[in-house]
Amino acid sequence: AVGLPIILLAIYFSLGVNAFVLSVSIAIIALIAKGIMAEIYPQALVLIGGTILLLLAAFLFPNTALVKATSGSRFIDVFGSMGEVFSSSLTSLGLTIMVIAGFSRYMHEIGASKKLVEISVKPLGVIKSRYILLGFCFILIQVLALFLTSPAGLSLLLMSTLYPILRSLGCSKAAVAAVIASICVNYGPAEVGTILIAQLTNRDLFEIFVSSQLPVLVVVFPFIGIMHMVMQRYWDNRESVSSDNSGDELLEENISSESKTPMYYAILPVLPLVMLFVFSDLAKGILPEGVSFKVGIIPAILMSFFLAFAIDFIRSMNVKASAQKISFMFEQMGQSFITIVSILICAQVLAQGLIKIGFIDVLFTLLPTNEHTHLLIVLFFSIFVFISSMILGSSTTFNAFASLAAEMASTGGVSVVKTLLSMYYSAGFGRAFSPIAGFIIAVSGLVGLKPYDLIKRNAVQLGAGYVLTLALNYIFIN
């Protein structure tokens, strides 16, 4: 660590500014990645790295503008630049993420999320073959992930609703747990990554979901579902697993645990997406001109929240209880700032540092501009995010490096949407392979298995699904 500044200074004086810019940028990115994988607080690493780059840019390149209106001091302008990033990120992307997180928590508190899952899994009993049933369940789980975006929350709901149904229909404990623990694809307009991609590409959020995500996933979901049918049968036969339900404490506890929440509550978590579709460009020509309004994601969520609050209050007629549930919404909004919004803001500072110091421009003057270079850029970021997500058990790395990847893709003439979607899919699949991912630990612990047992059962189908997802995304998405 002590020798690194000396080496960088030697590069500066012997090889010139461009070599120094390239070296110091790569060194800082590598140190941040190493620190994140060593479980050092990511926000601190990313923010410090970005600040160092901005300070270097301020004094190495005095003609580079750091802020819209200079203070007269390059040193103060560094922190002014950071202030601009903080204010713009908080008022746009940060607020959106916090509102979505708060709405999701409110849906959980009033019981709407659980009712949605309960109603969704009920029709599965008509499927007689237990392995075909498992394949269909995977598809259902991924569809539910569109509305319930927390893998840990969704998996726990499924363990109390779907698990007892599948076990009572003869599916083995390990097979059911493996399918529930295979939540692997991040997608949908309510997902943090999709919102970030929409902001970085200046594209409509719902349009990205419909035109860029769905065409890939309508192929990938059935593919992995069919692979589940084959692989869960294979592992049941190999491990000589019995479908006997005796002694299954989780089954005995939950078999009759249907909530008393009214059935119509199941529509409440879906309302924001319904509004976004109804008032999107995709619905033009369907609705009369007088009701063709434009609704953003925050207004859609707030309208859905107030409607849900009114319904819940009328049902209970208890002011204190209804108001208390709102407190959980704001509590979750604060929590989302700590865990999600903060890393996004710090990542924007890092991206600004890399841009201002000239790293992107220098890098692409050294790279040949052809189709193979485009493919290498997409693969590099995708594999990096996959491995780091698998090590960390979360999608943190995507949030930290999305801005950098977007700038590099744009400068290199690569589709930014294609690059970011590949990275975001990689984060989801990498998390599904992680033995320390929260939802995998939760599911395995509830059924008395080890995380490795579930990952082993899912490795072939999720690995093949990951390759297919990247290939389809690269070929078909512009």
Side-chain angles (χ1 to χ4, degrees):
V2 177
L4 182 60
I6 298 173
I7 294 171
L8 292 173
L9 283 173
I11 291 172
Y12 178 79
F13 288 110
S14 61
L15 299 177
V17 174
N18 284 352
F20 173 78
V21 165
L22 200 62
S23 301
V24 75
S25 300
I26 291 173
I28 286 176
I29 292 170
L31 288 171
I32 290 171
K34 182 180 179 182
I36 290 174
M37 292 181 183
E39 298 185 358
I40 298 173
Y41 186 55
Q43 284 87 328
L45 296 170
V46 175
L47 183 61
I48 292 170
T51 305
I52 292 171
L53 289 172
L54 284 171
L55 286 168
L56 290 172
F59 296 104
L60 283 177
F61 306 104
N63 294 325
T64 299
L66 297 176
V67 290
K68 294 176 183 177
T70 181
S71 66
S73 166
R74 296 289 286 175
F75 181 76
I76 294 174
D77 283 351
V78 167
F79 298 94
S81 174
M82 293 169 61
E84 288 180 355
V85 169
F86 274 58
S87 61
S88 62
S89 297
L90 275 175
T91 56
S92 54
L93 179 62
L95 180 61
T96 301
I97 293 169
M98 291 165 67
V99 170
I100 290 173
F103 179 77
S104 298
R105 175 67 180 273
Y106 184 73
M107 289 296 104
H108 171 76
E109 293 299 328
I110 66 175
S113 299
K114 185 170 184 179
K115 182 54 65 174
L116 173 63
V117 174
E118 286 177 359
I119 291 176
S120 300
V121 303
K122 273 187 177 180
L124 295 173
V126 301
I127 302 174
K128 301 304 178 185
S129 169
R130 62 178 183 267
Y131 293 107
I132 293 177
L133 182 61
L134 288 171
F136 273 100
C137 282
F138 169 79
I139 299 173
L140 173 63
I141 290 168
Q142 286 295 162
V143 171
L144 286 171
L146 176 63
F147 310 106
L148 310 174
T149 56
S150 166
L154 177 57
S155 61
L156 291 174
L157 283 175
L158 292 167
M159 289 303 291
S160 66
T161 52
L162 181 62
Y163 180 86
I165 293 173
L166 294 181
R167 291 289 281 131
S168 65
L169 293 173
C171 299
S172 71
K173 175 172 65 175
V176 177
V179 170
I180 291 175
S182 60
I183 303 170
C184 59
V185 182
N186 297 324
Y187 77 110
E191 273 280 359
V192 172
T194 308
I195 298 168
L196 179 57
I197 292 169
Q199 185 192 56
L200 292 173
T201 57
N202 294 316
R203 288 177 60 177
D204 180 72
L205 179 64
F206 205 81
E207 188 268 334
I208 287 179
F209 166 58
V210 173
S211 65
S212 299
Q213 293 180 330
L214 284 185
V216 171
L217 301 180
V218 294
V219 177
V220 172
F221 288 167
F223 173 79
I224 299 178
I226 293 169
M227 291 282 288
H228 262 304
M229 299 176 196
V230 176
M231 294 309 301
Q232 298 308 333
R233 180 191 290 272
Y234 166 80
W235 283 108
D236 281 353
N237 291 335
R238 178 170 176 172
E239 297 176 350
S240 300
V241 173
S242 170
S243 61
D244 178 25
N245 297 331
S246 59
D248 193 334
E249 295 179 3
L250 191 63
L251 175 64
E252 292 164 5
E253 289 175 4
N254 293 317
I255 193 69
S256 60
S257 63
E258 183 173 340
S259 67
K260 297 178 181 179
T261 308
M263 187 175 294
Y264 58 83
Y265 269 49
I267 195 65
L268 298 180
V270 186
L271 281 178
L273 296 183
V274 172
M275 290 185 186
L276 286 173
F277 172 74
V278 169
F279 297 111
S280 71
D281 293 339
L282 299 170
K284 281 184 177 177
I286 300 175
L287 297 174
E289 287 190 14
V291 292
S292 296
F293 307 117
K294 189 72 175 178
V295 176
I297 188 166
I298 292 180
I301 291 173
L302 291 176
M303 285 190 288
S304 301
F305 159 70
F306 277 106
L307 180 59
F309 173 74
I311 290 171
D312 190 60
F313 172 69
I314 292 170
R315 174 174 169 253
S316 66
M317 296 305 292
N318 187 326
V319 177
K320 187 174 182 179
S322 297
Q324 183 61 36
K325 292 173 185 175
I326 296 179
S327 73
F328 293 117
M329 180 182 74
F330 287 108
E331 177 185 300
Q332 190 62 45
M333 289 175 68
Q335 187 62 35
S336 72
F337 176 85
I338 295 170
T339 57
I340 301 172
V341 178
S342 58
I343 185 65
L344 292 173
I345 293 174
C346 295
Q348 294 280 11
V349 173
L350 175 64
Q352 281 296 305
L354 290 166
I355 293 166
K356 298 297 184 184
I357 204 172
F359 169 69
I360 309 297
D361 294 332
V362 172
L363 180 65
F364 278 99
T365 59
L366 303 176
L367 292 176
T369 54
N370 54 49
E371 186 64 25
H372 296 298
T373 303
H374 295 180
L375 177 60
L376 287 174
I377 290 171
V378 175
L379 278 179
F380 168 77
F381 280 109
S382 299
I383 293 171
F384 174 74
V385 169
F386 178 89
I387 293 173
S388 57
S389 295
M390 183 171 63
I391 293 171
L392 294 172
S394 73
S395 303
T396 303
T397 310
F398 172 78
N399 298 334
F401 288 96
S403 298
L404 171 62
E407 187 64 32
M408 288 187 66
S410 178
T411 305
V414 186
S415 167
V416 178
V417 172
K418 181 184 295 185
T419 304
L420 293 179
L421 282 174
S422 295
M423 291 171 63
Y424 199 43
Y425 294 142
S426 298
F429 278 99
R431 184 183 57 205
F433 276 90
S434 174
I436 62 170
F439 69 103
I440 292 179
I441 292 174
V443 172
S444 60
L446 284 170
V447 295
L449 297 172
K450 296 178 180 178
Y452 170 76
D453 296 326
L454 306 186
I455 294 171
K456 174 188 67 177
R457 277 180 166 261
N458 290 336
V460 173
Q461 55 270 42
L462 296 192
Y466 176 52
V467 173
L468 177 63
T469 302
L470 291 189
L472 292 176
N473 185 70
Y474 188 82
I475 293 169
F476 295 118
I477 305 304
N478 295 321

